Amino acid sequence: MVNAKDIYNYLNDIMPFETQEKWDNSGLLVNCGNSVNKVLCCLDVTKAAVDKAIEENCQLIVSHHPVIFSSIKSLDCGSILMKLIQNNISVISAHTNFDKYQFGTSYRLAQYCGVKGNGELLEFGLAISLEEPQLFSSFVEKIKQKVNVPLQYTNGKENVNRVFVIAGSGKGMTEEIMAAGCDCVITGENSYHDMLDLKELGISCICLGHDESEKISVDTLTKLINDRFESAEAVSYIEESLVKYI
């Protein structure tokens, strides 16, 4: 019989939780101590995700974003945490340790966008030298057709040779991008001023949306659990994007 701690230990072997950033809160965050025969994998532990877990009779949720991030000073009967406890649903959140996993969020984003070439794994993200240089206008159009979501971008140079891929937020990564020798960044979101600085440095930036860039990795968590545990079926739950465009 499998429990939440068994699944935590397995994920810890693959993407050690000790590698998470100091500000992060990844780990076994809610442990109801019961056996697990069904797991819901998701990006965020929302009310909709908890309702889905209850509907699917799941005893465990494995999320990317932590269900507990800030300090908790009180619990309300209508809160997500209370609902989890009342329904005996444990939660494992794998955040920045999953980001640093070699086949984690940035790897999946590169696959999703169809970026191919010689890749170098960095502490956060990937640096990929394209098989051949591409016009930025053609490069961004190919990504647009591949992902079929609205893109936000700035154009630094006419050609793209080496791409920095970082899922989620690329904010504050300018020095790492420069050190990796990249002339283009693909990320979920970035700040206006960082995008402006990158453009001044001749580095293009393409943003898909924070959740759009990470929700594609939920299936990776699902597959990892299904490949390891025969008695604990994992299913993916992908919500619609939080940010809407008109």
Side-chain angles (χ1 to χ4, degrees):
M1 195 67 71
V2 177
N3 58 41
K5 187 66 174 178
D6 295 325
I7 295 176
Y8 168 84
N9 288 336
Y10 168 62
L11 293 175
N12 189 52
D13 288 339
I14 297 171
M15 50 187 83
F17 285 88
E18 66 181 14
T19 65
Q20 68 181 284
E21 293 294 284
K22 291 180 180 179
W23 49 263
D24 196 9
N25 191 38
S26 295
L28 179 53
L29 303 185
V30 179
N31 187 4
C32 295
N34 52 331
S35 59
V36 174
N37 56 51
K38 196 162 187 181
V39 183
L40 185 86
C41 296
C42 60
L43 180 63
D44 296 288
V45 186
T46 60
K47 288 185 178 180
V50 176
D51 286 342
K52 187 65 175 178
I54 295 169
E55 177 188 328
E56 294 283 340
N57 194 27
C58 297
Q59 299 80 34
L60 173 66
I61 291 175
V62 176
S63 69
H64 179 45
H65 293 143
V67 65
I68 302 172
F69 204 81
S70 304
S71 60
I72 296 173
K73 297 183 179 180
S74 64
L75 275 177
D76 184 86
C77 62
S79 69
I80 287 175
L81 283 174
M82 186 64 77
K83 194 169 187 178
L84 288 165
I85 295 167
Q86 288 171 338
N87 288 276
N88 291 316
I89 300 174
S90 302
V91 179
I92 298 170
S93 297
H95 191 206
T96 52
N97 61 312
F98 184 36
D99 289 330
K100 295 178 181 181
Y101 172 49
Q102 62 177 331
F103 302 117
T105 56
S106 296
Y107 174 85
R108 283 294 289 119
L109 179 58
Q111 283 188 321
Y112 183 51
C113 293
V115 181
K116 298 179 181 179
N118 183 22
E120 176 188 353
L121 180 66
L122 308 172
E123 181 182 17
F124 275 109
L126 298 169
I128 303 175
S129 296
L130 301 180
E131 295 169 348
E132 58 182 28
Q134 298 183 34
L135 285 172
F136 177 77
S137 56
S138 300
F139 184 70
V140 73
E141 183 59 32
K142 288 177 184 176
I143 293 175
K144 178 67 172 68
Q145 292 176 4
K146 186 82 174 177
V147 304
N148 195 31
V149 297
L151 301 179
Q152 182 184 45
Y153 69 89
T154 53
N155 189 348
K157 286 183 179 177
E158 183 177 359
N159 292 324
V160 178
N161 295 276
R162 188 165 163 87
V163 184
F164 193 99
V165 182
I166 175 74
S169 175
K171 184 179 179 180
M173 299 289 292
T174 300
E175 290 186 6
E176 289 85 349
I177 294 163
M178 291 175 60
C182 295
D183 48 31
C184 182
V185 184
I186 298 174
T187 187
E189 63 176 338
N190 210 338
S191 73
Y192 170 81
H193 292 289
D194 276 13
M195 292 177 75
L196 181 62
D197 289 344
L198 289 168
K199 182 175 174 60
E200 291 297 312
L201 292 166
I203 301 172
S204 303
C205 186
I206 303 170
C207 300
L208 285 73
H210 192 114
D211 52 352
E212 285 289 344
S213 74
E214 291 187 324
K215 67 183 183 181
I216 51 175
S217 300
V218 169
D219 285 343
T220 299
L221 294 170
T222 304
K223 187 176 187 304
L224 284 171
I225 294 168
N226 281 330
D227 286 349
R228 173 62 180 81
F229 298 98
E230 293 183 1
S231 61
E233 177 193 2
V235 295
S236 297
Y237 177 65
I238 311 295
E239 291 190 58
E240 291 186 7
S241 295
L242 174 66
V243 180
K244 306 295 184 183
Y245 297 87
I246 59 171

